Amino acid sequence: MPELPEAETIATQIAQRLIGQKLDRVVHIRNDIIKNNTKRCPRWLTNSAINRVYRRGKRIVISLGDDHGIIVYLGMSGQLDVQPASEPPRPHTHFRATICDSDQELRFSDTRRFGGIRFFTTQGNAEPEGLAELGIEPLIMKPREFKLALNCRRQIKALLMDQHAIAGLGNIYCDEALFRARIHPLELADTIDEKRVNDLCRAIKSILKAAIRAKGSTIQSYQHAEGAGGFQNSHRVYGRAEQPCTACDTPIEKIVVGGRSTHYCPVCQVAPTKP
């Protein structure tokens, strides 16, 4: 599933191709991927200059003018890219829009269809629907903000994956950050002392930045414009069940937390004591 580094990579690459361009016409859109109540494309979608492409959490935002735009939800298997209009669309391409004065198309495909598109119009500086409910951004969060987000009695792994609390983290980078900070995934968030909260805050930022430099992690279907990501080669725990820990040689264990597979080292990440 694309997480923050993968979404950041795609947004950066799309920005290089789209900023200053205009969408000409929508060639194809599958109605059930539209997350608005409407099933029609708004008129402002075409012939408006694209002035910004950025990431918010795991979502990609294409800003058209001052108060209109598109939010792309990548979901489990979504891919967003710019391709030659003459090139046959990949299977499960649900949105295609031509780009003015070019032979290129903006395309969104999604095999499993958990993703989609939302059209938005904003008023003033308000965040559009589809972004306003997201939590703090991990790359720019302050330690105090992070500590406040952890001030609840929930298992730390489940809380880190809650997009309403912290936007952008998923299974891969939660496991990797918790390992680096030496925190067990089942530890209750409000029991973690200030030093380890700060350690975890630094670990999250460091791992996300490294993953962005590697253009994300390709586990199954994720691809960016230049191919596969490379950070999967640096994973210390994720996907390494029963393999030796890189720090202590203890076999990595796998459990389920919040319905998701979770990898950790039972020696480096000591289990919380039962009350």
Side-chain angles (χ1 to χ4, degrees), residues 165-197:
I166 302 161
L169 296 176
N171 223 16
I172 297 172
Y173 302 107
C174 285
D175 282 2
E176 293 297 312
L178 287 170
F179 172 75
R180 183 174 295 190
R182 301 297 190 259
I183 296 173
H184 193 282
L186 294 179
E187 191 157 353
L188 295 177
D190 62 355
T191 66
I192 301 173
D193 61 57
E194 185 171 358
K195 177 185 181 303
R196 293 191 302 148
V197 167

Short mmCIF file of all heavy atoms in Angstrom, two decimals, residues 165-197:
data_model
loop_
_atom_site.label_atom_id
_atom_site.label_comp_id
_atom_site.label_asym_id
_atom_site.label_seq_id
_atom_site.Cartn_x
_atom_site.Cartn_y
_atom_site.Cartn_z
N ALA A 165 -4.94 10.93 13.37
CA ALA A 165 -3.96 11.36 14.37
C ALA A 165 -2.68 11.83 13.71
O ALA A 165 -2.20 12.94 13.96
CB ALA A 165 -3.67 10.22 15.36
N ILE A 166 -2.12 10.97 12.86
CA ILE A 166 -0.87 11.27 12.16
C ILE A 166 -1.06 10.82 10.72
O ILE A 166 -1.37 9.66 10.46
CB ILE A 166 0.33 10.53 12.80
CG1 ILE A 166 0.45 10.93 14.27
CG2 ILE A 166 1.62 10.82 12.06
CD1 ILE A 166 1.25 9.98 15.10
N ALA A 167 -0.89 11.71 9.78
CA ALA A 167 -1.23 11.43 8.39
C ALA A 167 -0.02 10.94 7.60
O ALA A 167 1.01 11.60 7.57
CB ALA A 167 -1.80 12.69 7.72
N GLY A 168 -0.17 9.77 6.99
CA GLY A 168 0.85 9.31 6.06
C GLY A 168 1.54 8.02 6.42
O GLY A 168 2.15 7.38 5.56
N LEU A 169 1.49 7.63 7.69
CA LEU A 169 2.16 6.39 8.10
C LEU A 169 1.26 5.19 7.84
O LEU A 169 0.05 5.25 8.00
CB LEU A 169 2.52 6.45 9.58
CG LEU A 169 3.53 7.51 10.01
CD1 LEU A 169 3.70 7.48 11.51
CD2 LEU A 169 4.87 7.30 9.31
N GLY A 170 1.90 4.08 7.47
CA GLY A 170 1.20 2.82 7.28
C GLY A 170 2.01 1.69 7.87
O GLY A 170 2.90 1.91 8.70
N ASN A 171 1.75 0.51 7.43
CA ASN A 171 2.33 -0.68 8.02
C ASN A 171 3.86 -0.70 7.98
O ASN A 171 4.52 -0.99 8.97
CB ASN A 171 1.77 -1.92 7.30
CG ASN A 171 1.42 -3.03 8.26
OD1 ASN A 171 1.30 -2.81 9.45
ND2 ASN A 171 1.25 -4.22 7.73
N ILE A 172 4.40 -0.41 6.81
CA ILE A 172 5.85 -0.53 6.63
C ILE A 172 6.61 0.41 7.55
O ILE A 172 7.48 -0.01 8.34
CB ILE A 172 6.23 -0.23 5.16
CG1 ILE A 172 5.60 -1.25 4.22
CG2 ILE A 172 7.75 -0.20 5.00
CD1 ILE A 172 5.77 -0.90 2.75
N TYR A 173 6.30 1.69 7.46
CA TYR A 173 7.13 2.69 8.14
C TYR A 173 6.84 2.77 9.64
O TYR A 173 7.71 3.20 10.40
CB TYR A 173 7.00 4.04 7.42
CG TYR A 173 7.42 3.88 5.98
CD1 TYR A 173 6.48 3.89 4.95
CD2 TYR A 173 8.75 3.63 5.65
CE1 TYR A 173 6.86 3.69 3.64
CE2 TYR A 173 9.13 3.43 4.34
CZ TYR A 173 8.19 3.46 3.32
OH TYR A 173 8.57 3.23 2.03
N CYS A 174 5.65 2.34 10.06
CA CYS A 174 5.40 2.20 11.49
C CYS A 174 6.31 1.13 12.09
O CYS A 174 6.96 1.35 13.12
CB CYS A 174 3.94 1.84 11.75
SG CYS A 174 2.78 3.19 11.54
N ASP A 175 6.36 -0.03 11.44
CA ASP A 175 7.21 -1.11 11.95
C ASP A 175 8.67 -0.68 12.00
O ASP A 175 9.37 -0.93 12.99
CB ASP A 175 7.08 -2.35 11.05
CG ASP A 175 5.80 -3.14 11.31
OD1 ASP A 175 4.99 -2.71 12.15
OD2 ASP A 175 5.62 -4.18 10.66
N GLU A 176 9.13 -0.03 10.95
CA GLU A 176 10.54 0.37 10.89
C GLU A 176 10.87 1.44 11.94
O GLU A 176 11.93 1.39 12.58
CB GLU A 176 10.87 0.89 9.48
CG GLU A 176 10.81 -0.18 8.41
CD GLU A 176 11.83 -1.29 8.63
OE1 GLU A 176 13.01 -0.98 8.88
OE2 GLU A 176 11.45 -2.48 8.56
N ALA A 177 9.97 2.40 12.13
CA ALA A 177 10.23 3.47 13.11
C ALA A 177 10.19 2.93 14.54
O ALA A 177 11.02 3.30 15.38
CB ALA A 177 9.21 4.59 12.94
N LEU A 178 9.24 2.06 14.83
CA LEU A 178 9.15 1.49 16.18
C LEU A 178 10.39 0.64 16.49
O LEU A 178 10.90 0.67 17.62
CB LEU A 178 7.88 0.65 16.31
CG LEU A 178 6.58 1.43 16.39
CD1 LEU A 178 5.38 0.50 16.26
CD2 LEU A 178 6.48 2.23 17.67
N PHE A 179 10.89 -0.06 15.50
CA PHE A 179 12.12 -0.84 15.72
C PHE A 179 13.29 0.10 16.01
O PHE A 179 14.07 -0.13 16.95
CB PHE A 179 12.44 -1.71 14.50
CG PHE A 179 13.78 -2.37 14.59
CD1 PHE A 179 13.99 -3.46 15.43
CD2 PHE A 179 14.86 -1.91 13.84
CE1 PHE A 179 15.24 -4.07 15.53
CE2 PHE A 179 16.10 -2.50 13.93
CZ PHE A 179 16.29 -3.59 14.77
N ARG A 180 13.42 1.15 15.22
CA ARG A 180 14.56 2.05 15.44
C ARG A 180 14.47 2.72 16.80
O ARG A 180 15.50 2.95 17.45
CB ARG A 180 14.62 3.11 14.34
CG ARG A 180 15.82 4.03 14.47
CD ARG A 180 16.00 4.98 13.31
NE ARG A 180 16.30 4.28 12.07
CZ ARG A 180 16.68 4.91 10.95
NH1 ARG A 180 16.81 6.22 10.94
NH2 ARG A 180 16.94 4.21 9.86
N ALA A 181 13.27 3.04 17.26
CA ALA A 181 13.10 3.68 18.56
C ALA A 181 13.05 2.68 19.71
O ALA A 181 12.94 3.07 20.87
CB ALA A 181 11.83 4.54 18.56
N ARG A 182 13.11 1.39 19.39
CA ARG A 182 13.11 0.31 20.40
C ARG A 182 11.83 0.32 21.24
O ARG A 182 11.84 0.17 22.46
CB ARG A 182 14.35 0.40 21.30
CG ARG A 182 15.69 0.31 20.57
CD ARG A 182 15.82 -1.04 19.88
NE ARG A 182 17.16 -1.28 19.34
CZ ARG A 182 17.50 -1.13 18.06
NH1 ARG A 182 16.59 -0.70 17.17
NH2 ARG A 182 18.71 -1.39 17.65
N ILE A 183 10.70 0.48 20.54
CA ILE A 183 9.39 0.49 21.21
C ILE A 183 8.56 -0.67 20.68
O ILE A 183 8.43 -0.86 19.47
CB ILE A 183 8.67 1.84 20.96
CG1 ILE A 183 9.45 2.99 21.60
CG2 ILE A 183 7.24 1.79 21.49
CD1 ILE A 183 8.91 4.37 21.26
N HIS A 184 7.99 -1.43 21.60
CA HIS A 184 7.17 -2.57 21.22
C HIS A 184 5.86 -2.07 20.62
O HIS A 184 5.25 -1.12 21.13
CB HIS A 184 6.88 -3.45 22.46
CG HIS A 184 6.32 -4.79 22.14
ND1 HIS A 184 5.00 -4.98 21.82
CD2 HIS A 184 6.91 -6.02 22.10
CE1 HIS A 184 4.79 -6.26 21.59
NE2 HIS A 184 5.93 -6.92 21.76
N PRO A 185 5.37 -2.69 19.54
CA PRO A 185 4.15 -2.20 18.88
C PRO A 185 2.89 -2.26 19.73
O PRO A 185 1.91 -1.56 19.45
CB PRO A 185 4.02 -3.10 17.65
CG PRO A 185 4.87 -4.29 17.94
CD PRO A 185 5.98 -3.81 18.80
N LEU A 186 2.89 -3.10 20.80
CA LEU A 186 1.70 -3.20 21.65
C LEU A 186 1.75 -2.26 22.85
O LEU A 186 0.79 -2.19 23.62
CB LEU A 186 1.53 -4.64 22.15
CG LEU A 186 1.22 -5.70 21.09
CD1 LEU A 186 1.11 -7.07 21.73
CD2 LEU A 186 -0.04 -5.35 20.32
N GLU A 187 2.83 -1.52 23.01
CA GLU A 187 2.92 -0.61 24.16
C GLU A 187 1.86 0.47 24.05
O GLU A 187 1.56 0.97 22.96
CB GLU A 187 4.31 0.02 24.23
CG GLU A 187 4.58 0.76 25.52
CD GLU A 187 6.06 0.89 25.82
OE1 GLU A 187 6.88 0.31 25.11
OE2 GLU A 187 6.37 1.62 26.79
N LEU A 188 1.26 0.83 25.18
CA LEU A 188 0.24 1.88 25.17
C LEU A 188 0.90 3.24 24.99
O LEU A 188 1.88 3.57 25.65
CB LEU A 188 -0.56 1.84 26.46
CG LEU A 188 -1.40 0.57 26.68
CD1 LEU A 188 -2.09 0.62 28.04
CD2 LEU A 188 -2.42 0.40 25.56
N ALA A 189 0.33 4.03 24.08
CA ALA A 189 0.95 5.30 23.70
C ALA A 189 1.17 6.23 24.88
O ALA A 189 2.22 6.88 24.98
CB ALA A 189 0.11 5.99 22.63
N ASP A 190 0.20 6.31 25.79
CA ASP A 190 0.32 7.28 26.89
C ASP A 190 1.24 6.80 28.01
O ASP A 190 1.41 7.50 29.02
CB ASP A 190 -1.05 7.67 27.43
CG ASP A 190 -1.82 6.49 28.03
OD1 ASP A 190 -1.32 5.35 27.93
OD2 ASP A 190 -2.90 6.72 28.59
N THR A 191 1.84 5.62 27.85
CA THR A 191 2.80 5.14 28.85
C THR A 191 4.24 5.33 28.40
O THR A 191 5.17 5.03 29.16
CB THR A 191 2.56 3.65 29.16
OG1 THR A 191 2.88 2.87 27.99
CG2 THR A 191 1.13 3.39 29.60
N ILE A 192 4.44 5.82 27.20
CA ILE A 192 5.79 5.99 26.66
C ILE A 192 6.37 7.30 27.20
O ILE A 192 5.76 8.37 27.06
CB ILE A 192 5.77 6.01 25.12
CG1 ILE A 192 5.16 4.70 24.60
CG2 ILE A 192 7.17 6.19 24.56
CD1 ILE A 192 4.93 4.68 23.10
N ASP A 193 7.54 7.22 27.83
CA ASP A 193 8.12 8.41 28.45
C ASP A 193 8.61 9.40 27.40
O ASP A 193 8.74 9.08 26.21
CB ASP A 193 9.25 8.03 29.41
CG ASP A 193 10.40 7.32 28.73
OD1 ASP A 193 10.97 7.87 27.77
OD2 ASP A 193 10.72 6.18 29.13
N GLU A 194 8.90 10.61 27.85
CA GLU A 194 9.22 11.71 26.94
C GLU A 194 10.44 11.43 26.08
O GLU A 194 10.48 11.76 24.90
CB GLU A 194 9.42 13.01 27.74
CG GLU A 194 9.63 14.23 26.85
CD GLU A 194 9.60 15.52 27.64
OE1 GLU A 194 9.38 15.48 28.86
OE2 GLU A 194 9.79 16.59 27.02
N LYS A 195 11.46 10.82 26.68
CA LYS A 195 12.68 10.53 25.90
C LYS A 195 12.36 9.62 24.72
O LYS A 195 12.81 9.86 23.59
CB LYS A 195 13.74 9.89 26.78
CG LYS A 195 15.01 9.51 26.00
CD LYS A 195 16.00 8.76 26.85
CE LYS A 195 17.25 8.42 26.04
NZ LYS A 195 16.94 7.62 24.83
N ARG A 196 11.57 8.56 24.98
CA ARG A 196 11.28 7.62 23.90
C ARG A 196 10.29 8.21 22.90
O ARG A 196 10.32 7.85 21.71
CB ARG A 196 10.79 6.30 24.48
CG ARG A 196 11.89 5.56 25.25
CD ARG A 196 11.47 4.14 25.60
NE ARG A 196 10.26 4.14 26.38
CZ ARG A 196 9.34 3.18 26.33
NH1 ARG A 196 9.48 2.15 25.52
NH2 ARG A 196 8.26 3.25 27.08
N VAL A 197 9.43 9.11 23.36
CA VAL A 197 8.56 9.83 22.41
C VAL A 197 9.42 10.64 21.45
O VAL A 197 9.21 10.63 20.23
CB VAL A 197 7.57 10.75 23.16
CG1 VAL A 197 6.90 11.72 22.19
CG2 VAL A 197 6.51 9.92 23.88
#
